[in-house]
Amino acid sequence: MAQLKLKPTLLLLAVSLCSCLTALPWCAADGGGGGGGGKPLVTAITKDAATKLYTAPLKDGRPLVLDLSGPLVWSTCEPGHPSYECHHHVCAHAHRYHPPGCARRGHGVPDEDDPFRCKCTAHPYNPFARRSGTGDLTRLTVTANDTDGANPLRPVSFLAVASCAPQTLLAGLPAGAVGVAGLARSRVALPAQVARTQKVARKFALCLPSAGQGVAVFGGGPLFLLPPGRPDVTATLAGTAPLRTNSDLPGYFVSATGIAVNQEHVPVQGPLVVGLCSRIPYTVLRLDVYAPLVKAFDEATAERKRVTPPVAPFELCYDSRELGSTRLGYAVPQVDLMLEGGANWTVFGGNSMVQVNDNTACFGFVKMEESGKGAGYGGAPPAVVIGGFQMENNLLVLDEEKQQLGFSGLLFASTLAAGGDDRSSPSKPIVVRLTKDPSTSLYTISIKDGGAPLLVDLAGPLVWSTCAPGHPSVPSISTECRIANRNNRPPANCVMYENGAGQLQPGSCTANRHCCSAYPYNPVTGQCGRGEATAVPLAANATDGRTPLFPVSFSTFGSCAPGELLASLPSGAVGVAGLSRLPLSLPSQVASALNLPRQFALCLPTGGGRSGAAIFGGGPFQLLAAPPVDVADGVLDHPLPLLKNPRNGGAYYIRVTGIVVNNERVPLPPGALDLHARSGTGGVVLSTATPYTTLRPDIYRPLLAAFDAATSGIPRAAPVEPFEMCYQVAALSSTRIGFGVADILLLLDDSGGSSWLLAGNASLVQVNDRTVCFAFLEMGRPSSTVVVPGSPAVIFGGFQMEDHLLMFDLDKEEFGFRGPLPFIRTNCGNFDFSNGLLVLAISLTCLVASSLPPCTLASGGGKPLVTPITKDASTSLYTAPLKDSRPLLLDLSGPLIWSTCDADHPTLQPGAPECFEASRYTRPDCWAYGDSGGGVQRAARGAPLQPRHRPVRVRGPDARHALRERHRRQEPAVPVSFPAVAACAPESLLEKLPPGAAGVAGLARSELALPAQVASTQGVAGTFALCLPSGGGGQGVAIFGGGPLFLLPPWLQAVTSIMTNTTLHRFQDCPEYYIWIKSIDVNQTPVQLGDYAPAPLVVGFSSTTPYTALRSDVYRAFVRAFGDAASGFGMARVAAVAPFELCYNSSALVSSRGGYVVPQIDLVLEDGTRYGVFGANSMVQVGDATACLAFLEMDDPEKLGYKLYGQQAPAVVVGGYQMEDNLLVFDGEKQQLGLSTLLLFRQTTSMSLHGTSLLLPLLVLSQLLLSPPPTTLAAGYQPPPSKPILARLDKDPSTSLYTISIGGAPLVVDLAGPLVWSTTCQPGHRTIPCRSSVCAVANRARPDACARTGSGDDQLLPAGAGSCVCTAHPYNPVTGQCGVGDLTAVPLSANATDGKNPLFPVSFSAFGSCAPAGLLASLPAGAAGVAGLSRQPLSLPSQVASALKVTKEFALCLPSGGGGAAIFGGGPFQLLAAPPVELAAGLRADPVPLARNPMNGAYYLRVTGIAVNQARVPLPRRALALDARRGAGGVALSTVTPYATLRPDVYRPLRAAFDAATSGIARAAPVAPFEMCYQASALSVTRVGFAVANIDLMLAGGRNWTMPGGSSLVQVNDQTVCFAFLEMGPSGTVVPGSPAVILGGFQLEDHLLLFNLEKGTLGFTGPLAGIRTGCSNFNFTMASS
């Protein structure tokens, strides 16, 4: 009998993700139930590409199709096969489920060989061909492998009941398949037969592959993923759900309560029956479920580019080139099946999007045929049948004993990809980490075996380090020694350290052996020494240019050095790694030792916890992005020649022909930058051992003067050594590539075509919070002396090379670079050092799992640690599983860790420093509660404090507890254990802690608190991030060790970019965390605290106080202020619910993403910025219809521990509830607290994964790439059609009008203008026939009663006499004058755009009118006419759409200063931010309809009322309505009206309401044309302008256009701001018709307005300052490579 012989390597190292499971230990089959002690069986699964079905080699090595819905096993049979009698009990089981379309003919037929015997027949069914047959019930041999949980052991064969089938029944099966293995819930299905014959548990695990091989394991048992030490996957499944039975169907069914897309519920009626089916390739849904799901996914992906028509059978298809990619598949909204029991089956992009061709991916869900029957066996169809594609790369555990389905979630994020460990290749490049030392600003490389860093020296000739005794020596007669002494002679002027006693450790050199000496050189101090040459052991990782692959060890020739030579090197550095072009440099020796090209790439990091990378040996250099980008691609295609200095042959000199500042060449002496080869002086040399670029005085002085002149408008600051010129940081704007200052260019050739850009990130360095300095130094000054052999003209320092990719080809003597990398939205810190490991995908409030790796290493070089946080519902306290997975209470105020201890715990001696630290914060009235255990007399004792209640205190011996957390980096699923100093405590001290808690983990500022101990033991930064969950079964996260934090998926903004940072202070030597605030504001009005609480107010943080507590004097004033503001909001008070004082009827409150819409509470920080507390954190739901203000009075500060210190309590102690769903970053090194504000605004919530014990959030490196780098058009390239165009907008300060630059002289922007007109028509200009249709259209918009301009000198130049020439009527919207001019073709030009940058020039013509020069009166100086932007046919937007075949849509962003932008033709609209923010997609999704005035083409809003401070202004009935018949009334938008102008019956009530709402603000004398003004000094400032009452235009449909202080008040001089609304009158603004309100340009500034002329809609943002950007932040830099 043939047996299946599966080689372990074949089965266990299979290609697909599922097959990784086969490489993993599947433990023996006890499984906790039912099994009789046998071993589980394992078999490989293969997906057939043609049929998309899954097979396993189960019948003597021949494949059977796996069918989760199949009730029996069937196959073709050989003649002479055995059969069962029809009265055998298995015959009845085989007929339990009858196939559709098969007539019931009993259980058997007479046996041909024995007429008296009834032979059992069965009815095998082919669900793919939808055919059934009849065949004998027989026994066939099933083969698989048993396993001990680590490997397949040996082939196993057993007889299984099966049905024979005719050959014709194989139709539609994969080629080579001989039948079907039914896996359903039947006594004769394969799982039941394996359990019965092998005496294993009645469960099986299935992992269907997407390619390669998957795995099926029958018989239960735990499952462990590689590497060893990982937890049992079956115990950490993403979820479980009860299996439900269907009397008519043998398959597997669960019940779902609903479906969600992007965490938003889909409107379907539950409960839903959900089936599992491997017969169908894609999930099918009943029509009543399918339609809402597709609609929800369609809406959630509205901004994604569609492919039409879709590819059958799918309904939604997308351009896959524009879908971001993650390790979980395409970056699309997740789909969640919300299952019975509370678990979610989450479908990420890897299982929801099907790649149907190279450029198209479709939503992989299909509509169920109306005639469909559940699983092919009759009966009502389920609502959802999950198909094979959605189950691929997921582990399913089907447990018949527990009647339960378990599932893992997508395994792309939980297991290793097989096959990545190719160690056999001799020619893999190697990658090493680079780190910037903050104290010296120098760079180290971690390549010396053992991890000790070496200084990176681009000019260094060899590798040297301090050596241990007995190091190997090199004979003096060796080739390496001769090379070393030829190329490594010490500089003539270096200070020599001899090999004296105590300086060098003796090596293996003996008296009778001549050993080689070398001359190590310190490039920082200029000192050198003499030491023995030796073999230096090095270690790195091979790489494919994307991630590390496997370790590589090798040795290089190097030199020992005396310890004194380490002076001025970074702390911990043990030597220098020379990277020069000489034969014994590190790149040369790596190339020789590993048989690699003599190339290397260097990417220096900027520091701040980020690591850079160096790759030796060529190949790609990929940095993380979405998608990742190979920044090395093309860099050496057009290289620069490296110059050689014969006096310093190893250093890298580049040719620089000049320096340019702000597009002006700096006047330098002739030949100032030249390298003089004979003398070895001059030239420009690259140096990583020089922190900042240092220049010879004859170059430095002109450069300094040029930059000084180019930045003359920026306020200066006092110089900070060693820099000479500094600036006030508050006066500088920021761009993607640093501060917004003049660029510096190094010209690299004579033509100026090649240059090195030094933008603000390379020209200015921030030296403190208030100061940035010019980051160039003068050579020869004592503070800037840099030791470099020879006398270069310029030493190009490390700071200027940071975040650039530098590539060196030593054989070709060539150099290339790319950067600055932030320009393409990445940086040197974005190399993926994660060794290709993937981690379990878990959704969190703070962090959503993604494809990108965790944060970079913290300053100490270790890996940050992560632990989940759980909120205990009964105590409202927070725990983390830190002590051998047992929970410890997290206490932000706790100075140490304490726990109950085992009897044999270790102790510390009383004299240990930890003992002193443990007693440092002991409360003086600590009294013993219970017995501490007694028997340890001489052990050091710490005093554990039980928080939150009366300080019950005991003394117990300090012990070293083993704490368990999880790495955030290379092995996120591998627990990390380390000993931590902790105090023992009796069991009685656990009173009132959450059930199961074993103690307390103090997080305060103490050396024995958890953050400090993690930092010291793991070598990470003294920083930790905390995100407390809001309960409901969700989990939060704590991360110890620093690093930038991002919310994911990739399109979300970086959390660190929206964080508010403030200084941490000490408060009377307490270990807790405190900040100072200026005031507490309610609804942007400061709470009046009186003299009892002078600023600054002290604010503490406590995770053991459920709700924020305020000192009595602060609380009373705060509650009054909130109560008054709530009355203004119309909030209905209800009876108070203890312990809260103010409670409200929650059923009458409006909800938003940030919780209930209630008065906002702001803590005004020291620098004036605000930390907002929104409804989700200020209101707590205490009943079905009651919500209370979640702030308490601090009636007994002792409960918070303050009286114990003998001090007054802080003004505010922020409790856990107010910190929930906020990210707090406590930085002990910078003494700084980062506050994120409510993360619900980031569209993420706390989520519970039931049954999940392992929580692994992902962090990612900063600077996510949201798009690929732009490219330059090749010569002669024809720009593609249908690109939107971009034009710059400017505001004229004298007229407050806006101009657009769209070819030639600027034109005034007029939103209501019907056409384009200009005074720049030349004699002989083109004319339009008067009888043309265009002429008729142009004269439809003729003004009725405008004042005509005179003739004479102003008369238009005639184009031609006697011809029938069309004339138009240009109109000046400011003066109301009009004229007559020829209709002509106006040449226009702009730039095509992708919504992010200009791409290439576009020229076109538009119909416009000539105009007399006199019509320019009152327009901005230099303006040549008007660009009408109305909805009329000859307006600029209409003509752009027609001429360029783009969408009839335009976006307008009016600047308050600087340059704004207009985009015509649709597409994105991106403004610079951190990261850049795209605004147009959201506006298209939620526009408001515009009203139409038949008398003109202006844009009118449908406004139903006006509110001030949320109180409706009393206006006459229909005062704001548009009378379409007369063309009067309504609210019009105008860019030629500087300020909002209102009809008197609207203006007067509005002014009165605003006057009343601002009655407490000191007035100032009115300044014309304004009527009501205020003293500027009496107003505070917010991000969106002055802190005054908001004005709301109440739009039809329930939306509001909100105008905060930035839109309602205008500053007219240093002392005065005025109400920026005017009364319409005889001298008012000229606007056709008589609107009730003209919303002027000032009110439209720094809003993005999106007009769709075809749909008649408007999309608008709020003030852009609210999201930290503005209209002047469009990136007008032409996209280039």
Side-chain angles (χ1 to χ4, degrees), residues 1464-1480:
F1464 299 86
F1469 196 111
Q1470 179 173 287
L1471 293 175
L1472 290 175
V1477 57
E1478 201 289 304
L1479 300 168

Side-chain angles (χ1 to χ4, degrees), residues 925-1006:
D925 62 346
C926 174
W927 54 280
Y929 183 86
D931 182 58
S932 64
V936 185
Q937 298 297 324
R938 301 188 58 186
R941 292 176 180 265
L945 173 65
Q946 204 264 24
R948 193 171 175 256
H949 302 284
R950 192 185 195 297
V952 178
R953 210 101 159 90
V954 304
R955 289 189 174 273
D958 283 342
R960 291 193 179 271
H961 286 298
L963 297 187
R964 293 171 62 85
E965 299 187 81
R966 299 186 186 276
H967 272 318
R968 283 197 300 119
R969 215 175 151 69
Q970 292 185 346
E971 297 174 350
V974 179
V976 172
S977 298
F978 62 95
V981 176
C984 292
E987 288 282 344
S988 55
L989 204 60
L990 301 179
E991 180 188 2
K992 298 189 178 179
L993 295 193
V1000 171
L1003 305 181
R1005 288 188 280 184
S1006 158

Side-chain angles (χ1 to χ4, degrees), residues 1336-1372:
V1337 171
N1339 280 278
R1340 281 187 210 150
R1342 178 175 178 174
D1344 291 327
C1346 70
R1348 299 295 175 90
T1349 58
S1351 57
D1353 294 338
D1354 292 338
Q1355 191 61 41
L1356 296 176
L1357 296 169
S1363 59
C1364 178
V1365 174
C1366 181
T1367 57
H1369 302 275
Y1371 174 78
N1372 182 324

Side-chain angles (χ1 to χ4, degrees), residues 824-858:
I824 58 171
R825 299 184 181 89
T826 190
N827 56 62
C828 288
N830 278 3
F831 189 85
D832 183 359
F833 277 103
S834 64
N835 282 55
L837 295 188
L838 312 173
V839 297
L840 185 63
I842 302 282
S843 296
L844 296 178
T845 298
C846 309
L847 304 162
V848 182
S850 159
S851 66
L852 302 179
C855 286
T856 55
L857 293 182

Side-chain angles (χ1 to χ4, degrees), residues 533-555:
T534 187
V536 180
L538 302 181
N541 280 286
T543 183
D544 56 359
R546 297 166 179 82
T547 58
L549 298 178
F550 50 84
V552 173
S553 299
F554 58 100
S555 294

Side-chain angles (χ1 to χ4, degrees), residues 911-1111:
E914 294 92 339
C915 182
F916 171 79
E917 182 66 24
S919 301
R920 181 178 173 190
Y921 295 104
T922 301
R923 272 63 168 176
D925 62 346
C926 174
W927 54 280
Y929 183 86
D931 182 58
S932 64
V936 185
Q937 298 297 324
R938 301 188 58 186
R941 292 176 180 265
L945 173 65
Q946 204 264 24
R948 193 171 175 256
H949 302 284
R950 192 185 195 297
V952 178
R953 210 101 159 90
V954 304
R955 289 189 174 273
D958 283 342
R960 291 193 179 271
H961 286 298
L963 297 187
R964 293 171 62 85
E965 299 187 81
R966 299 186 186 276
H967 272 318
R968 283 197 300 119
R969 215 175 151 69
Q970 292 185 346
E971 297 174 350
V974 179
V976 172
S977 298
F978 62 95
V981 176
C984 292
E987 288 282 344
S988 55
L989 204 60
L990 301 179
E991 180 188 2
K992 298 189 178 179
L993 295 193
V1000 171
L1003 305 181
R1005 288 188 280 184
S1006 158
E1007 293 302 315
L1008 294 187
L1010 180 61
Q1013 296 202 58
V1014 171
S1016 62
T1017 60
Q1018 304 302 301
V1020 294
T1023 301
F1024 71 98
L1026 202 65
C1027 195
L1028 300 180
S1030 54
Q1035 287 185 311
V1037 66
I1039 296 168
F1040 300 89
L1045 310 178
F1046 278 72
L1047 279 177
L1048 298 172
W1051 52 84
L1052 291 185
Q1053 190 178 1
V1055 180
T1056 46
S1057 71
I1058 60 168
M1059 293 192 80
T1060 300
N1061 293 304
T1062 191
T1063 303
L1064 284 169
H1065 294 276
R1066 289 282 183 180
F1067 183 53
Q1068 299 190 16
D1069 199 34
C1070 301
E1072 292 91 341
Y1073 299 95
Y1074 298 95
I1075 62 173
W1076 295 169
I1077 63 171
K1078 290 182 175 180
S1079 66
I1080 304 173
D1081 289 9
V1082 173
N1083 208 27
Q1084 298 190 349
T1085 301
V1087 175
Q1088 301 301 315
L1089 300 177
D1091 298 331
Y1092 295 100
L1097 300 173
V1098 178
V1099 176
F1101 293 83
S1102 173
S1103 56
T1104 58
T1105 304
Y1107 303 101
T1108 293
L1110 297 90
R1111 207 171 54 219

Side-chain angles (χ1 to χ4, degrees), residues 319-330:
D319 186 339
S320 59
R321 294 167 296 182
E322 297 191 16
L323 295 175
S325 293
T326 73
R327 282 182 183 151
L328 304 177
Y330 285 120

